[in-house]
Amino acid sequence: MKPVWFTFLNGSDIEQLEPTDIEILDAVEEGLRAQGLGETVVEPRVHLMPDPAFNGHFNVLRGYVAPLALAGVKIVGDYVDNYQAGLPSEMALLNLFDPRTGMPVAVLDATAITEMRTGALTALGARHLARPDARVLGHIGARATSYWNVRLLDRIFDLTEIRVHSRRPESREAFAERLERELGKPVIVTEDWKTCVEGADIVVEASRLERPQPLLKTEWIAPGALVVPYGTNSAVEITLTDIMDKIVVDDWGQAHAGPFGALRAHVDSGRLDEASLHGELGEIVAGRKPGRESADETNLFWHRGLSLSDIALGAALLKKAEERGLGQKLRFS
């Protein structure tokens, strides 16, 4: 058998590539468009929980993007208490394969990829579902994906007011300082959920709750706003979906399956089903369904995280690494 080689990109390689905001958004949008055109396969994510005492679990995401000629599997650990050991709460590996032969193409440190593609999904959802004149953001949560949420939302909307809140004062203060340094504009740190989200044009809920708890009140959501909840455990009230004109997800197959997710109770109780769902974001990106159609629509975008986004962004970074001579060639067989 002839030798088989694959590329390994470590975290330092990914950092040196310095993907721009536009490169990230374009790559993730390419994956969404392929999904909307029916040119992908998405398997609902599965979970491995080694021991409840560890307060964490693994997510396994699987998919295939035909236009990119790549299949991929990402394994990401989600451990809430990692900050106590100075570690990211989410660390990941992305494996890319040739879908025609099954042979490995690349292995990438996907920790930063996960953060960037999550922020891109939030921002692209807002591009299609928020008001074009949205300028006030209320953001709950300060984990690594939160930075990319705010950065990429600001890239699209040029926000004039950014409010942030998180459970730990030290985390929200550090988050705000980073945003002010990187974005060059003031950030308001709030002491509670209500002050953060009430009346905001775009509300993002990326909290790190240990169990479902309805901390985000439906009455705080302004008419015409977009709400993007994606916490592992639900932080919203059961009534949130009642006020929505459009509810959009990244992938219905995984949204209505599994034990986790911001709208888990809404699906399990029948409040959200395929009939009441407006559609998937990929369908909107591909032009098969409309996004926001009026200024007074109140919309919701729920994303669980797409393997397709990991594959699409991973492919873009792999191409950039080849152009720059970064990464290691490892012999598989």
Side-chain angles (χ1 to χ4, degrees), residues 183-213:
L183 302 181
K185 56 181 63 177
V187 175
I188 300 168
V189 179
T190 71
E191 301 298 316
D192 58 76
W193 285 59
K194 181 179 180 181
T195 307
C196 183
V197 307
E198 190 171 38
D201 301 322
I202 300 173
V203 174
V204 179
E205 181 276 304
S207 61
R208 304 288 287 163
L209 302 183
E210 294 184 8
R211 63 189 65 83
Q213 190 177 358

Side-chain angles (χ1 to χ4, degrees), residues 139-293:
H139 193 290
I140 299 291
R143 51 175 156 160
T145 58
S146 297
Y147 167 75
W148 286 99
N149 286 335
V150 180
R151 172 170 164 170
L152 296 177
L153 283 167
D154 186 58
R155 165 66 63 174
I156 292 174
F157 292 94
D158 191 16
L159 301 166
T160 59
E161 185 174 321
I162 300 171
R163 313 171 193 159
V164 299
H165 177 75
S166 69
R167 179 168 54 92
R168 294 182 294 117
E170 64 272 21
S171 72
R172 58 184 183 250
E173 292 288 348
F175 182 41
E177 289 175 9
R178 181 185 182 189
L179 289 172
E180 289 186 339
R181 183 173 63 251
E182 298 286 340
L183 302 181
K185 56 181 63 177
V187 175
I188 300 168
V189 179
T190 71
E191 301 298 316
D192 58 76
W193 285 59
K194 181 179 180 181
T195 307
C196 183
V197 307
E198 190 171 38
D201 301 322
I202 300 173
V203 174
V204 179
E205 181 276 304
S207 61
R208 304 288 287 163
L209 302 183
E210 294 184 8
R211 63 189 65 83
Q213 190 177 358
L215 297 174
L216 195 158
K217 305 300 181 183
T218 303
E219 66 186 37
W220 299 339
I221 305 303
L226 169 68
V227 181
V228 186
Y230 73 85
T232 301
N233 287 304
S234 178
V236 304
E237 292 186 307
I238 197 71
T239 56
L240 181 65
T241 52
D242 296 348
I243 68 168
M244 295 299 162
D245 294 292
K246 287 188 175 80
I247 300 176
V248 175
V249 298
D250 54 357
D251 177 67
W252 178 244
Q254 67 177 2
H256 72 71
F260 300 113
L263 300 187
R264 182 84 279 126
H266 301 74
V267 173
D268 293 344
S269 65
R271 237 179 172 95
L272 174 60
D273 57 23
E274 200 161 8
S276 58
L277 182 74
H278 175 68
E280 296 174 341
L281 182 58
E283 295 177 293
I284 297 173
V285 170
R288 291 189 163 182
K289 288 191 176 178
R292 174 177 286 270
E293 297 175 275

Side-chain angles (χ1 to χ4, degrees), residues 26 28-40 281-282 285-286:
D26 285 352
V28 173
E29 191 169 44
E30 182 178 3
L32 288 168
R33 184 174 294 107
Q35 180 193 21
L37 295 174
E39 298 172 337
T40 63
L281 182 58
V285 170

